[in-house]
Amino acid sequence: MEAIRIHEFGGPEVMNLETGADLQAGPGQILVDIRAAGVNPVDTYIRAGTYAMKPDLPFTPGMDGAGTVAEVGDDAAHVSVGDRVYLAGTLTGSYASQALCSPDQVYPLPDNVSFTQGAGIYVPYATAWRGLFQRAGGKAGENVLVHGASGGVGIAAVQMARAAGMTVIGTAGSEQGAALVEEQGAHHVVDHNVPGYTDKIMELTGGLGVDVIMEMLANVNLDKDLNMLAYGGRVVVIGNRGVIEINPRDAMARDASILGMVLLLASPEDLVGIHAGLYAGLQNGTLKPVVGKEFPLEDAARAHAAVMEPGAYGKIVLIP
Ligand code: NAP
């Protein structure tokens, strides 16, 4: 098998392709031949050693992937050899040609969803679902601001909010990203780099403010967000890369809530609901992961640089 291995935490250059012995499924394990692996910003934090969760060295990075079941260990029989699946984490890392998984990390991939799309399901779509429905309680008739809609989580949030009957305002920082956000179902798109863009968002809501904000960069936006919320509004902090000063009175004045979330803290019961919702949406075509860039597996370092650059356009995936 081939896998990206990290022997020390550091920059993208610490990731190198290595060849090793093929894996075998032990009891309670499923072996998956990986056809595509998804690249997420969190993979870069883990690679750098700055994330709360630090794997033992050496390790193979990656939580997202899709492929076919190659082997099923004893007591892991909810899938069969040959099944198309997407992964919700792995035991051995997804930036590889093979990965071992526990049964709760393997989900059926509907026939209408490609492997490259399947590599962009778990982290982005489960995060968007948890944020929008389980944390914010978003519902039909409400409006939602997807603040950072052009990337992996944002596109997922736009598609599911639109399908759920919400009015969707998305933001992007490039023309290409804005066009994609509109194509994916946003009713309105605003550029988060243009001064005064929050006034435009308030105008779009008739001055009433937004019910739900899905926030991808809270350290830049949380103060502005509190001032854009409607009465009873909720902002879900999904992405954050630093500190910010806010005036708590802005939340008090509108009975607003600031809700934090980390996907890895979702309970097993919540995850059952999330994956059931995702499967239904993938199957009926309302959820369609957008693959913006594909890199060969050996170019994982380039993919990590790309995922941190501005001008997001859907998902970045690695092909073993
Ligand atoms: P991504 O694909 O790299 O997309 C990043 C998004 O942030 C793009 O839409 C980008 O827009 C946008 N952005 C850039 N500057 C912004 C600004 N000033 N205001 C608002 N948005 C801005 O990343 P992702 O996978 O969607 O993840 C988004 C964030 O959520 C990351 O920080 C990630 O680590 C975090 N995350 C957290 C969880 C969790 O469990 N809490 C799970 C998944 C992801 P342009 O490039 O068009 O400017």
Side-chain angles (χ1 to χ4, degrees), residues 39-42 45 51 123-124 127-128 146-155 171-174 177-178 181 191-193 197 215-217 220-221 224 237-241 260-265 306-316:
V39 175
N40 290 294
V42 69
Y45 320 148
Y51 197 60
V123 171
T127 297
V146 183
H147 212 171
S150 46
V153 180
I155 291 294
T171 77
S174 69
V181 172
D191 185 333
H192 49 233
N193 293 326
Y197 76 94
E215 182 51 68
M216 306 304 158
L217 200 56
V220 171
N221 296 325
K224 292 192 280 259
V237 176
I238 296 171
N240 183 62
R241 293 179 179 165
M261 70 152 281
V262 171
L263 178 62
L264 298 178
L265 297 179
V307 79
M308 297 307 278
E309 278 164 10
Y313 191 86
K315 285 302 304 175
I316 294 175

Side-chain angles (χ1 to χ4, degrees), residues 22-263:
D22 281 352
L23 301 173
Q24 284 192 325
Q29 295 181 340
I30 295 162
L31 178 67
V32 177
D33 283 338
I34 297 197
R35 299 285 298 274
V39 175
N40 290 294
V42 69
D43 301 342
T44 72
Y45 320 148
I46 294 171
R47 182 212 70 229
T50 56
Y51 197 60
M53 180 196 86
K54 267 195 192 182
D56 292 337
L57 295 165
F59 69 99
T60 294
M63 299 180 189
D64 281 359
T68 51
V69 173
E71 207 185 324
V72 179
D74 294 342
D75 306 324
H78 78 300
V79 287
S80 307
V81 171
D83 284 0
R84 301 171 83 253
V85 292
Y86 73 89
L87 309 182
T90 72
L91 300 170
T92 52
S94 67
Y95 290 15
S97 57
Q98 298 184 310
L100 288 173
C101 300
S102 57
D104 61 350
Q105 292 174 324
V106 177
Y107 292 86
L109 185 67
D111 288 340
N112 57 325
V113 183
S114 69
F115 289 118
T116 49
Q117 289 177 307
I121 295 176
Y122 170 53
V123 171
Y125 278 80
T127 297
W129 190 280
R130 178 148 181 83
L132 184 60
F133 299 125
Q134 295 184 340
R135 299 294 286 140
K139 47 188 183 293
E142 289 193 313
N143 60 35
V144 56
L145 169 64
V146 183
H147 212 171
S150 46
V153 180
I155 291 294
V158 166
Q159 292 174 353
M160 58 187 66
R162 178 71 194 239
M166 302 180 79
T167 300
V168 184
I169 305 170
T171 77
S174 69
E175 262 181 43
Q176 193 200 19
L180 176 66
V181 172
E182 190 173 0
E183 231 171 75
Q184 297 309 311
H187 295 88
H188 310 283
V189 186
V190 174
D191 185 333
H192 49 233
N193 293 326
V194 171
Y197 76 94
T198 57
D199 296 338
K200 169 86 177 156
I201 291 170
M202 289 306 287
E203 248 173 62
L204 291 169
T205 67
L208 293 173
V210 279
D211 299 306
V212 175
I213 299 179
M214 302 282 282
E215 182 51 68
M216 306 304 158
L217 200 56
N219 54 301
V220 171
N221 296 325
L222 189 57
D223 176 49
K224 292 192 280 259
D225 289 347
L226 293 179
N227 285 286
M228 282 192 282
L229 284 177
Y231 173 80
R234 297 86 75 197
V235 52
V236 187
V237 176
I238 296 171
N240 183 62
R241 293 179 179 165
V243 292
I244 183 170
E245 186 175 310
I246 59 163
N247 183 347
R249 183 160 295 281
D250 294 330
M252 294 162 68
R254 33 179 73 75
D255 271 12
S257 309
I258 302 170
L259 302 157
M261 70 152 281
V262 171
L263 178 62

